[in-house]
């Protein structure tokens, strides 16, 4: 049984890493449902370790394309966003909170896919960062606010910029979990076991990523956000 579970986890992580490497988003959305079923005791710690690895690899591979000013402003704004998420989590029942978060994520993603565009200004970047920090704390779904706001000149810019933001947020969330004794060395050990499949998926993504446009990457990130939000609503229903 363990061998079968491990095989399923390996395949899932390979696919999730490939999706992240091509689009700059989606690792958690693809990997989380399977890992939660197989090894619920190591979620979210293991998932965050793996997300940190693949997002860092993707951002580093195309580091010359990263929009660092946007990353810095967005991540700085995510700090108060995390505090907002904490306050909301304390104020609302968990099932109502998750339903609201999932609905907002789905609505935002659909709006983006329908053509809604948020201009990139100081204010909208601040809002995207606050929203990403809040949703990352509440549901490990930081992508929608950033994907709806950010549009770069090339697929490499979108992909690497999103990955850089998600890597920083994953590390910050791991630090919060460690401070609250909600993660353990066992989580990191399981992540180490699955690091090989992450590298395989990342390698698969390299040739595929050269064939996609910036528009395709942006739309894929929004689609993955919708799927993540829908999964959250269904799980809470």
């Amino acid at each position: 049984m363990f061998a079968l579970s491990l095989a399923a986890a390996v395949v899932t992580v390979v696919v999730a890493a490939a999706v992240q490497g091509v689009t700059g988003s989606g690792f958690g959305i693809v990997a989380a449902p399977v890992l939660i079923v197989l090894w619920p005791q190591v979620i979210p710690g293991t998932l965050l370790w793996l997300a940190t690895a693949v997002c860092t690899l993707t951002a580093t591979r195309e580091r010359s394309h990263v929009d660092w000013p946007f990353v810095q402003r967005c991540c700085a704004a995510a700090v108060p966003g995390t505090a907002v998420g904490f306050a909301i989590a304390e104020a609302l029942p968990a099932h109502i909170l998750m339903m609201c978060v999932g609905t907002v994520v789905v609505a935002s993603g659909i709006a983006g896919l329908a053509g809604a565009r948020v201009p990139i200004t100081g204010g909208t970047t601040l809002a995207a960062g606050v929203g990403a920090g809040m949703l990352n704390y509440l549901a490990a779904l930081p992508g929608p606010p950033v994907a709806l706001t950010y549009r770069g000149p090339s697929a490499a810019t979108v992909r690497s910029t999103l990955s850089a933001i998600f890597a920083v947020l994953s590390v910050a969330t791991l630090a919060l979990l460690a401070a609250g004794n909600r993660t353990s060395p066992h989580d990191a050990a399981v992540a180490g076991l699955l690091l090989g499949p992450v590298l395989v998926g990342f390698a698969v993504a390299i040739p595929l990523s050269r064939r996609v446009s910036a528009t395709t990457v942006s739309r894929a990130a929004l689609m993955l956000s919708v799927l993540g939000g829908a999964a959250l609503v269904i799980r809470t229903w």
Side-chain angles (χ1 to χ4, degrees), residues 105-198:
V105 168
V106 171
S108 300
I110 291 176
L113 291 171
R117 290 292 179 266
V118 178
I120 303 177
T121 65
T124 58
T125 301
L126 175 66
V130 170
M134 181 180 68
L135 290 177
N136 190 54
Y137 181 86
L138 293 174
L141 285 173
V146 183
L148 186 62
T149 304
Y150 188 72
R151 297 176 304 282
S154 68
T157 300
V158 175
R159 185 167 49 238
S160 59
T161 300
L162 294 181
S163 291
I165 292 170
F166 300 153
V168 172
L169 292 180
S170 294
V171 170
T173 305
L174 276 170
L176 285 173
L177 291 175
N181 292 319
R182 295 177 57 196
T183 186
S184 69
H186 181 60
D187 296 346
V190 175
L193 184 67
L194 294 172
L195 183 59
V198 165

Side-chain angles (χ1 to χ4, degrees), residues 18-35:
V19 170
Q20 179 70 42
V22 172
T23 69
S25 184
F27 179 84
I29 293 170
V30 175
V34 175
L35 293 183

Side-chain angles (χ1 to χ4, degrees), residues 13 48 67 72 95 110 125 137 167 179 184 211 220:
V13 169
L48 286 167
D67 186 343
Q72 291 166 0
H95 67 286
I110 291 176
T125 301
Y137 181 86
S184 69
R211 303 181 182 183

